[in-house]
């Protein structure tokens, strides 16, 4: 891929970060006639965007942690096969973040969060359409629905309680029995209790390839891709300067979309940014021995199995740890053992492990907006484990703000200003 880094080239917008969030925004703005410069330290879709579950989940409108889940936290932390683990060295950094998370589980606040996530979800897949068409990437995304597969009747009953909320927010969902689930996916075990079927969910059969297609479109149509580390963003004579390891670049507008490392560029502006390193793992099975036609979320251990171009990807699990801590291969290997309970006959022949760092806010909402009092400085990051799902709708929202149009989504819930007030005692108890 061609990389252009001449500081003399004029740009209307500089986007720092070439994950799926930055890439979708770059394509969206280029379609709007903007000259876009994309800056990334490693390359397009090379971080968490490369190894995600490939799951376009419109149903992901519920925060991953509820107040009732807090009581299960000790059990999760003591179980090596649980979907959540926290490395002891990271605990001191996580305490302030955890207090904000507890505050976010209050019933009224949870209702607000669900409504905000649903606003991004409604057009999560349709917002991709013009971007996929422009980048000739339609072949990498399909919509065949997804299953939430439950081994026990108790879990099936529990998951079924979400169906009214899904439907209220325009998301179709149906409870199906064991036979119906196995008719859709014959590879599933005959010991499951049933599933929740969400027909409007989709998948990307190669997240890495999708990122490369978007980047290639950007460069082929006059945009720039600069492989360099962004060290600082600063105002410059009514414009903005991004200081990088390959020189300085200026533009009237800058967007910080650098995932977990976004706070490093924005905290100098006096902002409170409670961002945590939520590390995800996947195990890629090139010779899985079973076939699926759509993403299946295994409900009890809570991870996804997604069929892709190069095999079956088992992805999920949450590990809170410092971003640069070594990966724990057991977190990936556990996914295989857990998946065999749902997919008998599964093979790990030629399996490969991967770990990536997701940017996670305590209230499960991404940060999308403009820095207060800093005209032209925007941000879009913190999409935690639904970055692929919400990237295109986030890009549509932010493009509207950048082009001074009235957005179709209320941007207020995603403003970083929501963190300017710390959690109060009455919010936590």
């Amino acid at each position: 891929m061609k990389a252009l880094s001449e500081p003399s080239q004029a740009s209307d917008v500089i986007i720092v970060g070439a994950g799926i969030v930055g890439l979708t925004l770059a394509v969206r703005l280029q379609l709007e006639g903007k000259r876009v410069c994309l800056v990334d330290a490693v390359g397009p879709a090379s971080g968490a965007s490369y190894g995600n579950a490939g799951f376009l989940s419109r149903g992901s409108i519920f925060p991953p942690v509820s107040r009732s889940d807090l009581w299960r936290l000790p059990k999760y932390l003591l179980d090596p096969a649980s979907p959540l683990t926290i490395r002891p060295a990271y605990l001191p950094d996580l305490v302030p973040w955890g207090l904000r998370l507890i505050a976010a589980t209050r019933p009224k606040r949870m209702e607000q969060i669900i409504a905000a996530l649903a606003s991004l979800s409604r057009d999560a897949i349709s917002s991709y359409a013009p971007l996929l068409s422009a980048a000739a990437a339609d072949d990498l995304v399909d919509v065949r629905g997804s299953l939430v597969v439950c081994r026990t009747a108790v879990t099936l009953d529990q998951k079924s309680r979400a169906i009214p909320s899904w439907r209220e927010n325009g998301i179709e969902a149906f409870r199906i029995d064991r036979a119906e689930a196995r008719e859709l996916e014959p590879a599933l075990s005959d010991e499951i209790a049933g599933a929740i079927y969400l027909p409007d969910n989709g998948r990307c059969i190669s997240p890495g390839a999708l990122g490369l297609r978007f980047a290639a479109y950007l460069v082929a149509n006059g945009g720039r891709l600069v492989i360099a580390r962004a060290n600082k963003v600063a105002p410059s004579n009514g414009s903005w300067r991004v200081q990088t390891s390959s020189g300085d670049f200026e533009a009237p507008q800058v967007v910080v979309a650098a995932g977990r490392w976004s706070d490093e560029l924005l905290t100098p502006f006096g902002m409170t940014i409670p961002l945590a390193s939520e590390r995800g793992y996947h195990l890629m099975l090139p010779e899985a021995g079973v076939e699926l036609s759509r993403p299946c979320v295994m409900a009890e251990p809570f991870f996804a199995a997604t069929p892709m171009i190069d095999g079956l990807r088992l992805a999920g699990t949450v590990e809170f740890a410092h971003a640069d801590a070594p990966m724990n291969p057991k977190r990936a290997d556990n996914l295989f053992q857990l998946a065999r309970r749902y997919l008998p006959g599964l093979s790990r022949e030629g399996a490969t492990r991967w770990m990536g760092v997701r940017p996670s806010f305590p209230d499960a909402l991404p940060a999308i907006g403009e820095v207060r009092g800093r005209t032209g400085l925007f941000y879009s990051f913190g999409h935690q484990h639904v970055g692929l799902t919400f990237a295109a709708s986030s890009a549509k929202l932010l493009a509207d703000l950048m082009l001074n149009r009235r957005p179709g989504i209320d941007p207020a819930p995603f403003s970083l200003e929501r963190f300017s007030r710390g959690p109060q005692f009455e919010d936590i108890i």
Side-chain angles (χ1 to χ4, degrees):
M1 179 176 295
K2 186 180 180 182
L4 302 176
S5 59
E6 294 85 348
S8 60
Q9 286 187 279
S11 297
D12 299 311
V13 181
I14 298 171
I15 301 173
V16 180
I20 192 63
V21 171
L23 286 163
T24 51
L25 179 62
V27 176
R28 169 70 67 174
L29 291 173
Q30 193 163 46
L31 289 172
E32 297 277 3
K34 295 294 183 180
R35 296 170 297 177
V36 180
C37 175
L38 195 60
V39 178
D40 193 273
V42 182
S46 55
S49 297
Y50 170 83
N52 65 57
F55 187 12
L56 292 162
S57 175
R58 290 189 63 240
S60 292
I61 64 172
F62 304 109
V65 178
S66 66
R67 183 144 290 198
S68 61
D69 290 326
L70 297 175
W71 299 106
R72 303 188 189 101
L73 186 58
K75 178 183 176 182
Y76 287 150
L77 297 181
L78 292 172
D79 181 2
S82 81
L84 168 66
T85 187
I86 302 174
R87 293 204 184 183
Y90 196 57
L91 271 172
D93 292 346
L94 203 60
V95 168
W97 187 92
L99 293 176
R100 289 182 180 273
L101 181 146
I102 294 171
T105 62
R106 289 175 297 135
K108 183 177 180 180
R109 181 61 181 139
M110 287 286 279
E111 290 177 7
Q112 295 169 342
I113 292 169
I114 291 169
L117 290 172
S119 71
L120 285 177
S121 169
R122 290 188 188 100
D123 297 325
I125 296 178
S126 61
S127 295
Y128 268 103
L131 315 182
L132 296 173
S133 178
D138 296 274
D139 60 310
L140 296 178
V141 173
D142 66 31
V143 179
R144 301 183 187 180
S146 69
L147 295 178
V148 180
V149 184
C150 306
R151 281 180 57 83
T152 70
V154 172
T155 304
L156 185 57
D157 288 342
Q158 178 190 4
K159 298 299 181 183
S160 297
R161 295 188 196 115
I163 291 177
S165 293
W166 273 321
R167 290 178 176 171
E168 288 170 9
N169 286 287
I171 300 162
E172 289 293 328
F174 305 92
R175 175 173 174 155
I176 60 177
D177 61 23
R178 176 192 298 111
E180 292 170 307
R182 296 194 72 231
E183 184 177 355
L184 289 172
E185 297 295 349
L188 290 171
S189 168
D190 59 8
E191 295 182 1
I192 64 171
I196 308 299
Y197 176 47
L198 293 99
D200 298 330
N201 282 344
R203 64 166 178 157
C204 174
I205 61 175
S206 180
L210 179 63
L212 291 176
R213 296 261 186 106
F214 284 156
Y217 170 81
L218 177 77
V219 173
N221 289 274
R224 287 188 287 166
L225 173 64
V226 178
I227 308 302
R229 176 179 173 80
N231 298 313
K232 186 178 180 181
V233 177
S236 176
N237 299 318
S239 189
W240 289 96
R241 175 183 293 120
V242 179
Q243 299 175 5
T244 82
S245 56
S246 293
D248 293 357
F249 300 85
E250 289 195 17
Q253 294 182 321
V254 166
V255 181
V256 176
R260 175 60 189 89
W261 294 271
S262 298
D263 56 344
E264 297 177 4
L265 296 172
L266 292 175
T267 50
F269 296 97
M271 309 191 74
T272 299
I273 307 176
L275 202 60
S277 298
E278 181 193 329
R279 293 153 40 116
Y281 287 78
H282 85 217
L283 190 70
M284 196 71 209
L285 306 177
E287 303 290 339
V290 300
E291 292 187 4
L292 295 176
S293 57
R294 55 181 58 79
C296 290
V297 175
M298 311 311 178
E300 284 83 3
F302 202 73
F303 68 90
T306 306
M308 295 190 173
I309 288 176
D310 46 0
L312 185 67
R313 179 170 292 179
L314 308 179
T317 188
V318 171
E319 178 189 57
F320 286 103
H322 289 109
D324 57 356
M327 75 176 292
N328 178 0
K330 291 182 179 179
R331 296 296 294 173
D333 293 341
N334 282 342
L335 293 172
F336 177 77
Q337 298 303 327
L338 295 169
R340 291 180 66 187
R341 302 174 188 174
Y342 299 83
L343 298 168
L346 193 66
S347 168
R348 63 169 296 155
E349 182 77 22
T352 56
R353 309 180 187 99
W354 173 92
M355 184 276 295
V357 183
R358 311 179 188 112
S360 183
F361 283 114
D363 60 4
L365 295 176
I368 307 168
E370 186 174 21
V371 176
R372 184 177 182 181
R374 301 286 182 169
T375 301
L377 179 57
F378 297 85
Y379 51 83
S380 184
F381 62 96
H383 292 71
Q384 34 137 359
H385 61 279
V386 286
L388 179 67
T389 297
F390 291 153
S393 52
S394 296
K396 186 176 180 180
L397 168 58
L398 190 57
D400 284 341
L401 295 176
M402 296 174 71
L403 295 168
N404 294 314
R405 296 190 302 228
R406 182 175 180 178
I409 297 173
D410 181 7
F414 310 106
S415 170
L416 280 171
E417 293 301 313
R418 69 188 191 267
F419 298 119
S420 60
R421 171 182 177 268
Q424 306 299 302
F425 179 75
E426 61 268 23
D427 297 336
I428 298 170
I429 59 174

